[in-house]
Amino acid sequence: MTATVPPTPSDPPIPDPAGRVELPPGTTLTDSRFVNDDLLPVPLARRRWTTYNFTALWVGMAHNIPSWLLASGLVALGMDWKQAVFTIALANVIVLAPMLLTGHAGPKYGIPFPVLARASFGLRGANLPALIRAGVACAWFGIQTWIGGQGIFVLLGKLFGGWAEASEVGGQPWTLWVCFVLFWALELAIIHRGMETLRRFENWAAPFVIVGALVLLVWIANKAGGLGPLLDQPSKLGWGADFWPVFFPSLMGMIAFWSTLSLNIPDFTRFGAGQRAQVRGQTLGLPTTMTLFALLSVFVTSGSQAVYGAPVWDPVALAGKTDNVFGLLFALVTVLVATISVNIAANVVSPAYDLANLAPRLISFRTGALITGVVGVLIMPWKLTETPELYIFTWLGLVGGLLGTVAGILIADYWIIRRTALDLPGLYTPGGRYWYTSGWNLRAVAAFLVGGVLAVGGSHSAPGKGPFPEDGLIPFLEPLADYGWAVGLAASLVVYVALMAGHRRA
């Protein structure tokens, strides 16, 4: 062991007036198994993200093609537009709570998600939740990059005749592969420049994407002479017995859409100027933006039905219907900015830190980002979006159950067991208070297993609609599957608190 900490316990970190803590003067942490420059706490002088920065971050992440398509997926399942928007709005209000709770550790201690997880899972055990989060992010990175590449392909196809008729490679036109690879490379080039570049990019990307979406609304409303008949379409489910079996798994799926960030939000809030900045910024940015974006997608699609006789839910396909060169170029830039904004922030930052936590000696933040980009392509996760059932119930439902389980343990440990008081040097020190059993907190692992089994053990699919048995993987747990995120969070939280009740607090 080569890490050293202040010589006496009488030298604790001294918080600043805003309650933020940094390593005590003279602390040296050099054990490369658990430390590198990217995992160390952000110094107070570099914690300067404001309310606007966090709001812009969420606006930039929320305005993307998959979140635009959320409302369409719910309508395809039988909801009317009011039910779809209500479901999305409620989900984002709910997921905001764990987002703020886990985000608290960021401004206070300046630590990323995998280091926070060391307090509950142990210095080595933290790799379990970190790799789960990283795997989910890699899959999302592939989905978003493919969608972004397709957007460029469609819009360039309108500008260059014959673009879509190019010879095929691997079942797709080679021009589509070129768009995909170029878009992938552009994303990694931006993240390679670091978090400060991301902050500046999000600051101007957020208002630009909002303007782009509003321009699309004005354009389609002008062509339609007003919004179309879609807003008058009744629900196929009503508000009775047919609605609730679709509503609850859909609600869990919508929560799961951002449950990824409810874990690793400290990766961003660690740069916050204080708690007020992250609380206000996230509250202003997440639920309001997602709700407004859902409304916007419904209104634009409504107009498309009036103009083209059928609803066009994909904003790229809709923008591609214009013959105006300037309009196509503007749509192309908007798609680029919107997709890059969310993909880098939501799906590259977290696994870059998570993979660095796995082997700090070998993997830096930038190396982790490159690995994420490669894995995200190799696993080809875009197939998960082929049907609403597969996308919302299977992919988002399964992911939400597992991530909710991890969130329950993090919240229980940080807020209930430790009352937000962490030994900052101890998070990097083998043999310290977070070493537990050879670096693993077996209580956290047990709580994760219990919560995970309860959350996803009953996963089921309709006949021919998905990979699970019709009566569930574990049949008697099938009734819980529709509430996977909530079940996982509540079960793991209760079990963890019970198991840790007799354990020495930090």
Side-chain angles (χ1 to χ4, degrees):
M1 185 194 319
T2 56
T4 61
V5 295
T8 67
S10 60
D11 260 346
I14 301 175
D16 73 345
R20 299 176 302 170
V21 178
E22 63 182 349
L23 288 172
T27 301
T28 304
L29 301 167
T30 58
D31 192 319
S32 59
R33 294 175 298 166
F34 304 103
V35 179
N36 67 19
D37 290 342
D38 297 311
L39 296 176
L40 284 171
V42 175
L44 290 181
R46 288 177 49 208
R47 300 182 205 173
R48 53 177 182 261
W49 284 33
T50 64
T51 296
Y52 176 78
N53 294 138
F54 287 112
T55 302
L57 176 74
W58 274 113
V59 172
M61 288 198 295
H63 288 110
N64 62 86
I65 297 171
S67 64
W68 181 285
L69 295 173
L70 285 179
S72 66
L74 295 179
V75 171
L77 293 172
M79 294 187 184
D80 63 19
W81 73 270
K82 295 183 291 295
Q83 292 171 330
V85 172
F86 167 73
T87 303
I88 292 170
L90 180 60
N92 283 280
V93 170
I94 292 172
V95 82
L96 179 64
M99 200 85 68
L100 297 178
L101 291 174
T102 54
H104 184 278
K108 183 169 183 178
Y109 295 102
I111 54 176
F113 155 66
V115 174
L116 173 63
R118 293 175 180 179
S120 52
F121 282 86
L123 268 69
R124 287 176 172 157
N127 288 315
L128 172 63
L131 289 179
I132 291 172
R133 174 65 184 93
V136 171
C138 288
W140 272 119
F141 179 84
I143 291 172
Q144 292 274 10
T145 302
W146 183 254
I147 289 174
Q150 285 181 315
I152 298 170
F153 172 76
V154 168
L155 296 174
L156 288 181
K158 291 286 292 184
L159 294 173
F160 304 105
W163 183 265
E165 285 74 41
S167 57
E168 292 189 355
V169 176
Q172 302 288 350
W174 67 264
T175 45
L176 174 56
W177 291 113
V178 169
C179 292
F180 172 64
V181 171
L182 289 177
F183 187 69
W184 174 84
L186 179 60
E187 291 175 312
L188 293 188
I190 293 175
I191 197 62
H192 187 266
R193 296 182 62 85
M195 289 294 291
E196 186 61 21
T197 298
L198 174 63
R199 182 182 70 87
R200 292 195 295 266
F201 180 80
E202 295 289 351
N203 283 348
W204 70 264
F208 182 88
V209 173
I210 292 175
V211 170
L214 291 174
V215 167
L216 188 62
L217 175 62
V218 172
W219 170 70
I220 196 66
N222 182 63
K223 289 181 70 71
L227 295 177
L230 189 65
L231 299 182
D232 297 326
Q233 293 298 310
S235 169
K236 298 177 183 177
L237 305 172
W239 288 95
D242 293 334
F243 174 71
W244 302 110
V246 175
F247 169 75
F248 284 110
S250 296
L251 181 67
M252 294 300 108
M254 296 305 101
I255 291 173
F257 191 79
W258 288 123
S259 65
T260 51
L261 268 294
S262 70
L263 292 187
N264 76 284
I265 195 64
D267 293 342
F268 301 96
T269 61
R270 67 192 298 230
F271 297 96
Q275 297 299 339
R276 181 177 298 179
Q278 74 103 358
V279 170
R280 288 183 175 179
Q282 294 202 78
T283 303
L284 288 172
L286 173 58
T288 54
T289 301
M290 285 295 291
T291 302
L292 290 174
F293 207 52
L295 279 169
L296 193 59
S297 71
V298 169
F299 291 154
V300 171
T301 305
S302 169
S304 73
Q305 177 162 316
V307 174
Y308 301 108
V312 182
W313 284 102
D314 187 340
V316 174
L318 183 59
K321 290 183 175 294
T322 181
D323 294 321
N324 183 285
V325 173
F326 174 78
L328 285 169
L329 289 174
F330 182 79
L332 176 62
V333 173
T334 302
V335 168
L336 277 170
V337 171
T339 308
I340 290 174
S341 178
V342 66
N343 215 15
I344 291 176
N347 303 320
V348 176
V349 172
S350 173
Y353 283 124
D354 298 336
L355 293 168
N357 187 71
L358 181 65
R361 184 183 308 170
L362 303 174
I363 303 175
S364 66
F365 177 84
R366 288 179 170 85
T367 305
L370 180 60
I371 294 173
T372 300
V374 173
V375 173
V377 172
L378 292 178
I379 61 179
M380 297 184 294
W382 48 84
K383 292 184 178 294
L384 293 168
T385 61
E386 288 180 341
T387 68
E389 291 84 6
L390 196 61
Y391 181 42
I392 293 176
F393 292 165
T394 302
W395 167 241
L396 290 179
L398 189 65
V399 164
L402 291 177
L403 297 182
T405 300
V406 175
I409 294 170
L410 293 183
I411 292 169
D413 184 81
Y414 183 70
W415 286 96
I416 300 175
I417 301 298
R418 308 191 189 281
R419 309 293 176 132
T420 77
L422 298 177
D423 171 15
L424 192 54
L427 292 170
Y428 301 87
T429 308
R433 69 178 66 200
Y434 305 119
W435 190 241
Y436 299 107
T437 305
S438 300
W440 287 80
N441 183 3
L442 300 182
R443 298 170 182 83
V445 175
F448 173 77
L449 292 175
V450 172
V453 169
L454 292 176
V456 305
S459 297
H460 57 94
S461 302
K465 297 291 187 179
F468 301 121
E470 185 178 355
D471 59 350
L473 291 171
I474 304 175
F476 75 90
L477 294 178
E478 189 267 342
L480 299 179
D482 290 346
Y483 314 93
W485 180 84
V487 168
L489 188 146
S492 64
L493 186 150
V494 171
V495 172
Y496 183 80
V497 170
L499 293 177
M500 291 291 289
H503 190 69
R504 180 173 58 90
R505 292 184 179 182

Short mmCIF file of all heavy atoms in Angstrom, two decimals, residues 106-137:
data_model
loop_
_atom_site.label_atom_id
_atom_site.label_comp_id
_atom_site.label_asym_id
_atom_site.label_seq_id
_atom_site.Cartn_x
_atom_site.Cartn_y
_atom_site.Cartn_z
N GLY A 106 -21.67 15.08 -5.13
CA GLY A 106 -20.78 15.70 -6.11
C GLY A 106 -20.23 17.04 -5.67
O GLY A 106 -19.01 17.21 -5.50
N PRO A 107 -21.08 18.05 -5.46
CA PRO A 107 -20.57 19.35 -5.02
C PRO A 107 -19.91 19.30 -3.64
O PRO A 107 -18.98 20.05 -3.38
CB PRO A 107 -21.83 20.23 -4.97
CG PRO A 107 -22.84 19.53 -5.80
CD PRO A 107 -22.53 18.08 -5.69
N LYS A 108 -20.39 18.40 -2.77
CA LYS A 108 -19.85 18.38 -1.41
C LYS A 108 -18.43 17.81 -1.37
O LYS A 108 -17.55 18.36 -0.69
CB LYS A 108 -20.75 17.56 -0.49
CG LYS A 108 -20.28 17.57 0.97
CD LYS A 108 -21.31 16.99 1.92
CE LYS A 108 -20.81 17.11 3.37
NZ LYS A 108 -21.80 16.61 4.35
N TYR A 109 -18.19 16.71 -2.11
CA TYR A 109 -16.89 16.04 -2.02
C TYR A 109 -16.09 16.08 -3.32
O TYR A 109 -14.91 15.71 -3.31
CB TYR A 109 -17.08 14.59 -1.58
CG TYR A 109 -17.64 14.46 -0.18
CD1 TYR A 109 -18.98 14.18 0.03
CD2 TYR A 109 -16.82 14.64 0.93
CE1 TYR A 109 -19.50 14.06 1.32
CE2 TYR A 109 -17.32 14.54 2.22
CZ TYR A 109 -18.66 14.25 2.41
OH TYR A 109 -19.17 14.15 3.68
N GLY A 110 -16.71 16.46 -4.43
CA GLY A 110 -15.97 16.53 -5.69
C GLY A 110 -15.63 15.18 -6.28
O GLY A 110 -14.68 15.06 -7.07
N ILE A 111 -16.39 14.13 -5.94
CA ILE A 111 -16.06 12.78 -6.37
C ILE A 111 -17.02 12.28 -7.45
O ILE A 111 -18.19 12.64 -7.46
CB ILE A 111 -16.08 11.79 -5.18
CG1 ILE A 111 -17.42 11.87 -4.44
CG2 ILE A 111 -14.90 12.07 -4.24
CD1 ILE A 111 -17.56 10.86 -3.29
N PRO A 112 -16.54 11.41 -8.36
CA PRO A 112 -17.42 10.81 -9.36
C PRO A 112 -18.19 9.63 -8.79
O PRO A 112 -17.91 9.16 -7.67
CB PRO A 112 -16.45 10.36 -10.45
CG PRO A 112 -15.18 10.05 -9.72
CD PRO A 112 -15.12 11.04 -8.57
N PHE A 113 -19.13 9.12 -9.56
CA PHE A 113 -20.01 8.03 -9.13
C PHE A 113 -19.26 6.80 -8.64
O PHE A 113 -19.57 6.27 -7.56
CB PHE A 113 -20.98 7.68 -10.27
CG PHE A 113 -21.51 6.27 -10.22
CD1 PHE A 113 -22.33 5.85 -9.19
CD2 PHE A 113 -21.20 5.37 -11.23
CE1 PHE A 113 -22.82 4.55 -9.14
CE2 PHE A 113 -21.68 4.07 -11.19
CZ PHE A 113 -22.49 3.67 -10.15
N PRO A 114 -18.25 6.25 -9.38
CA PRO A 114 -17.63 5.02 -8.88
C PRO A 114 -16.91 5.20 -7.55
O PRO A 114 -16.82 4.24 -6.77
CB PRO A 114 -16.66 4.63 -10.00
CG PRO A 114 -16.47 5.85 -10.81
CD PRO A 114 -17.73 6.63 -10.70
N VAL A 115 -16.42 6.40 -7.28
CA VAL A 115 -15.77 6.64 -5.98
C VAL A 115 -16.82 6.74 -4.88
O VAL A 115 -16.64 6.23 -3.77
CB VAL A 115 -14.90 7.91 -6.04
CG1 VAL A 115 -14.33 8.25 -4.65
CG2 VAL A 115 -13.75 7.72 -7.03
N LEU A 116 -17.96 7.38 -5.16
CA LEU A 116 -19.06 7.39 -4.19
C LEU A 116 -19.51 5.98 -3.88
O LEU A 116 -19.80 5.64 -2.72
CB LEU A 116 -20.23 8.21 -4.74
CG LEU A 116 -21.52 8.18 -3.92
CD1 LEU A 116 -21.30 8.77 -2.53
CD2 LEU A 116 -22.64 8.92 -4.64
N ALA A 117 -19.58 5.11 -4.89
CA ALA A 117 -20.02 3.73 -4.68
C ALA A 117 -19.07 2.95 -3.79
O ALA A 117 -19.46 1.92 -3.21
CB ALA A 117 -20.17 3.02 -6.03
N ARG A 118 -17.82 3.40 -3.65
CA ARG A 118 -16.88 2.71 -2.76
C ARG A 118 -17.34 2.76 -1.31
O ARG A 118 -17.05 1.84 -0.53
CB ARG A 118 -15.49 3.34 -2.89
CG ARG A 118 -14.82 3.13 -4.24
CD ARG A 118 -13.50 3.88 -4.33
NE ARG A 118 -12.86 3.68 -5.63
CZ ARG A 118 -11.71 4.24 -5.99
NH1 ARG A 118 -11.07 5.03 -5.13
NH2 ARG A 118 -11.20 4.01 -7.19
N ALA A 119 -18.04 3.82 -0.92
CA ALA A 119 -18.50 3.93 0.47
C ALA A 119 -19.46 2.80 0.82
O ALA A 119 -19.45 2.29 1.94
CB ALA A 119 -19.16 5.29 0.69
N SER A 120 -20.30 2.40 -0.12
CA SER A 120 -21.29 1.36 0.16
C SER A 120 -20.84 -0.02 -0.28
O SER A 120 -21.07 -1.01 0.42
CB SER A 120 -22.62 1.71 -0.52
OG SER A 120 -22.43 1.99 -1.89
N PHE A 121 -20.19 -0.14 -1.43
CA PHE A 121 -19.82 -1.45 -1.96
C PHE A 121 -18.39 -1.85 -1.62
O PHE A 121 -18.02 -3.02 -1.79
CB PHE A 121 -19.99 -1.47 -3.48
CG PHE A 121 -21.41 -1.63 -3.95
CD1 PHE A 121 -22.23 -0.53 -4.08
CD2 PHE A 121 -21.92 -2.88 -4.24
CE1 PHE A 121 -23.55 -0.67 -4.50
CE2 PHE A 121 -23.23 -3.03 -4.67
CZ PHE A 121 -24.05 -1.92 -4.80
N GLY A 122 -17.55 -0.91 -1.16
CA GLY A 122 -16.15 -1.20 -0.91
C GLY A 122 -15.28 -0.75 -2.06
O GLY A 122 -15.75 -0.55 -3.19
N LEU A 123 -13.99 -0.61 -1.82
CA LEU A 123 -13.09 -0.09 -2.84
C LEU A 123 -13.05 -0.99 -4.08
O LEU A 123 -12.98 -0.50 -5.20
CB LEU A 123 -11.67 0.08 -2.29
CG LEU A 123 -11.37 1.47 -1.71
CD1 LEU A 123 -12.15 1.73 -0.42
CD2 LEU A 123 -9.88 1.65 -1.45
N ARG A 124 -13.09 -2.28 -3.88
CA ARG A 124 -13.14 -3.20 -5.02
C ARG A 124 -14.58 -3.48 -5.45
O ARG A 124 -14.87 -3.59 -6.64
CB ARG A 124 -12.43 -4.51 -4.67
CG ARG A 124 -10.92 -4.39 -4.61
CD ARG A 124 -10.27 -5.68 -4.16
NE ARG A 124 -8.81 -5.63 -4.29
CZ ARG A 124 -7.96 -6.37 -3.59
NH1 ARG A 124 -8.44 -7.25 -2.70
NH2 ARG A 124 -6.66 -6.27 -3.76
N GLY A 125 -15.46 -3.60 -4.49
CA GLY A 125 -16.85 -3.91 -4.81
C GLY A 125 -17.53 -2.85 -5.64
O GLY A 125 -18.51 -3.15 -6.34
N ALA A 126 -17.04 -1.61 -5.60
CA ALA A 126 -17.64 -0.54 -6.39
C ALA A 126 -17.59 -0.83 -7.88
O ALA A 126 -18.36 -0.24 -8.66
CB ALA A 126 -16.93 0.79 -6.10
N ASN A 127 -16.72 -1.73 -8.29
CA ASN A 127 -16.67 -2.08 -9.72
C ASN A 127 -17.93 -2.79 -10.18
O ASN A 127 -18.25 -2.78 -11.37
CB ASN A 127 -15.45 -2.95 -10.01
CG ASN A 127 -14.15 -2.17 -9.95
OD1 ASN A 127 -14.06 -1.07 -10.50
ND2 ASN A 127 -13.14 -2.72 -9.29
N LEU A 128 -18.66 -3.44 -9.25
CA LEU A 128 -19.91 -4.12 -9.63
C LEU A 128 -20.94 -3.12 -10.16
O LEU A 128 -21.38 -3.24 -11.32
CB LEU A 128 -20.45 -4.92 -8.44
CG LEU A 128 -21.85 -5.53 -8.62
CD1 LEU A 128 -21.84 -6.55 -9.75
CD2 LEU A 128 -22.32 -6.18 -7.31
N PRO A 129 -21.37 -2.11 -9.37
CA PRO A 129 -22.32 -1.14 -9.93
C PRO A 129 -21.72 -0.31 -11.06
O PRO A 129 -22.44 0.07 -12.00
CB PRO A 129 -22.68 -0.27 -8.73
CG PRO A 129 -21.54 -0.41 -7.78
CD PRO A 129 -21.07 -1.83 -7.95
N ALA A 130 -20.41 -0.04 -10.99
CA ALA A 130 -19.79 0.78 -12.03
C ALA A 130 -19.83 0.07 -13.38
O ALA A 130 -20.14 0.69 -14.41
CB ALA A 130 -18.35 1.11 -11.65
N LEU A 131 -19.56 -1.23 -13.40
CA LEU A 131 -19.57 -1.95 -14.68
C LEU A 131 -20.98 -2.16 -15.20
O LEU A 131 -21.20 -2.18 -16.41
CB LEU A 131 -18.84 -3.28 -14.52
CG LEU A 131 -17.32 -3.18 -14.35
CD1 LEU A 131 -16.70 -4.55 -14.18
CD2 LEU A 131 -16.70 -2.46 -15.55
N ILE A 132 -21.96 -2.32 -14.29
CA ILE A 132 -23.36 -2.39 -14.74
C ILE A 132 -23.74 -1.09 -15.42
O ILE A 132 -24.31 -1.06 -16.51
CB ILE A 132 -24.29 -2.69 -13.56
CG1 ILE A 132 -24.07 -4.12 -13.06
CG2 ILE A 132 -25.76 -2.49 -13.95
CD1 ILE A 132 -24.81 -4.44 -11.78
N ARG A 133 -23.40 0.02 -14.77
CA ARG A 133 -23.70 1.34 -15.36
C ARG A 133 -22.95 1.54 -16.66
O ARG A 133 -23.50 2.07 -17.63
CB ARG A 133 -23.33 2.44 -14.35
CG ARG A 133 -23.46 3.86 -14.89
CD ARG A 133 -24.89 4.21 -15.22
NE ARG A 133 -25.02 5.53 -15.81
CZ ARG A 133 -25.03 5.78 -17.12
NH1 ARG A 133 -24.91 4.78 -17.97
NH2 ARG A 133 -25.17 7.01 -17.57
N ALA A 134 -21.69 1.11 -16.71
CA ALA A 134 -20.89 1.28 -17.93
C ALA A 134 -21.47 0.46 -19.08
O ALA A 134 -21.53 0.92 -20.23
CB ALA A 134 -19.44 0.87 -17.66
N GLY A 135 -21.91 -0.78 -18.79
CA GLY A 135 -22.48 -1.61 -19.84
C GLY A 135 -23.74 -1.01 -20.43
O GLY A 135 -23.94 -1.02 -21.65
N VAL A 136 -24.60 -0.46 -19.57
CA VAL A 136 -25.82 0.20 -20.04
C VAL A 136 -25.46 1.41 -20.90
O VAL A 136 -26.05 1.64 -21.97
CB VAL A 136 -26.69 0.63 -18.85
CG1 VAL A 136 -27.85 1.50 -19.31
CG2 VAL A 136 -27.21 -0.59 -18.11
N ALA A 137 -24.46 2.19 -20.46
CA ALA A 137 -24.06 3.38 -21.21
C ALA A 137 -23.49 3.00 -22.58
O ALA A 137 -23.74 3.69 -23.58
CB ALA A 137 -23.03 4.17 -20.42
#
